[in-house]
Amino acid sequence: MADVVAALARRYPTNWAEEWDRVGLVLGEPTAPVRRVACVVDVVPETVAEALAAGADMIVAHHPLLLRGVSSVAPTTFKGRIVHDLIKADVALSVAHTNADVADPGVSDSLAARFGLTGLRPLHPPAPGSPAAGAGRGIGRIGELPRPMTLAELTRHAAAVLPVTAWGVRAAGDPGRMVRTLAVSGGSGDAFLGAATAAGVDAYLTSDLRHHPAGEHLAAGGPALLDAAHWATERPWLDDLAAALRAELGVETVVSDLDTDPWTVHAAAPTAAGPAATRTVPGGAAPGPAADPAPAADDKEPRREG
């Protein structure tokens, strides 16, 4: 396990994480053998059960399980139950969060690859002198699409290339606007609306966009916006994480496709073409519909918690 933790630290040094973040080894014996690693976005009972069923010795997650201080990990609590289940099964847990966001390659590189973006550069580079500064690192990526698309076309394309969720993809802006340059940022990204505007991109894709910041951004002449499900923007990174662990350590890896996005029903607004389409997702984790042809307008606080 210590070897896996060291490999993660080389690829995603813990001092690259935001000060408020909690990354690295959460639980597990450093001397324990690791033959199979489960890669997940969220540490929730469902993904833990999936990892245990797959025979994983270790889970590497993107989102921290214990981000804020706790006074108890009693099994009667949500997170305490997870801790108990992992310890009883002798399964370790490690986290790579904002240190993986800022890395090159990192979370947003995997997202950019889904769109075939070229000429990548950071959307929000680290401050000069910070541990993560330099070498192309930073939050988000900016690049060129393989071919120009209208915003409406790009929205449908995003719904097709991203992992499917009930949330789908929505967009804000002129549906006919031509998009050649696209900024992407995995996870909550409205903290970087100003960076997208300053970069002069045609559109910015992220998740968890809020009503007022999005509306004010567009009113000020900012780029068009695409808002995808949080989980869907970070799930692509798991494939690259798993490939890196296999290549460096020779361990087996399993990647979770369990949709942990909390939104499970999507209803399009009624149009002249007919009534609203509704999709109910059994069990709270399954695919939903693609984006509607006509996009609808609508924490990093600090740099996001999830």
Side-chain angles (χ1 to χ4, degrees):
M1 189 182 309
D3 295 331
V4 180
V5 172
L8 289 169
R10 287 190 294 272
R11 192 172 181 85
Y12 313 114
T14 56
N15 67 345
W16 289 359
E18 297 287 344
E19 290 184 2
W20 54 265
D21 205 2
R22 299 294 179 266
V23 300
L25 185 64
V26 179
L27 55 89
E29 293 288 348
T31 58
V34 174
R35 301 174 184 85
R36 182 172 297 166
V37 177
C39 302
V40 309
V41 172
D42 294 297
V43 186
V44 293
E46 294 81 2
T47 56
V48 169
E50 186 180 52
L52 297 184
D57 305 298
M58 184 174 190
I59 295 174
V60 178
H62 184 50
H63 292 151
L65 174 65
L66 303 174
L67 182 62
R68 296 181 177 88
V70 297
S71 59
S72 170
V73 288
T76 52
T77 65
F78 177 82
K79 294 184 178 183
R81 180 72 265 166
I82 292 173
V83 170
H84 277 256
D85 288 346
L86 289 174
I87 292 176
K88 286 166 64 176
D90 201 20
V91 173
L93 172 63
S94 189
V95 171
H97 190 210
T98 54
N99 49 331
D101 287 331
V102 78
D104 180 19
V107 172
S108 289
D109 293 282
S110 302
L111 178 57
R114 292 289 179 113
F115 293 88
L117 299 185
T118 57
L120 296 181
R121 64 187 190 277
L123 171 64
H124 181 71
S130 69
R137 291 185 288 270
I139 297 295
R141 292 293 180 267
I142 296 170
E144 299 280 337
L145 287 166
R147 63 177 181 83
M149 301 183 190
T150 65
L151 177 60
E153 184 182 6
L154 178 59
T155 305
R156 292 191 295 270
H157 180 65
V161 301
L162 292 177
V164 181
T165 61
W167 177 270
V169 181
R170 62 181 180 175
D174 178 2
R177 177 174 181 166
M178 293 305 300
V179 179
R180 296 173 177 82
T181 55
L182 177 66
V184 299
S185 184
S188 303
D190 65 7
F192 305 109
L193 291 171
T197 300
V201 298
D202 298 315
Y204 174 40
L205 181 144
T206 186
S207 62
D208 299 343
L209 291 176
R210 295 173 293 163
H211 176 89
H212 293 295
E216 292 169 10
H217 162 88
L218 293 171
L225 300 174
L226 293 96
D227 187 23
H230 191 123
W231 173 84
T233 65
E234 296 174 327
R235 162 59 184 84
W237 170 70
L238 299 183
D239 293 324
D240 294 330
L241 168 65
L245 292 175
R246 289 195 304 270
E248 185 169 350
L249 301 173
V251 295
E252 297 179 22
T253 57
V254 290
V255 173
S256 176
D257 277 318
L258 184 64
D259 177 2
T260 54
D261 186 66
W263 306 106
T264 58
V265 178
H266 172 81
T271 66
T278 305
R279 177 76 176 267
T280 303
V281 184
D292 300 316
D298 147 85
D299 28 358
K300 308 186 183 177
E301 200 178 346
R303 162 68 182 164
R304 73 179 184 293
E305 298 176 1

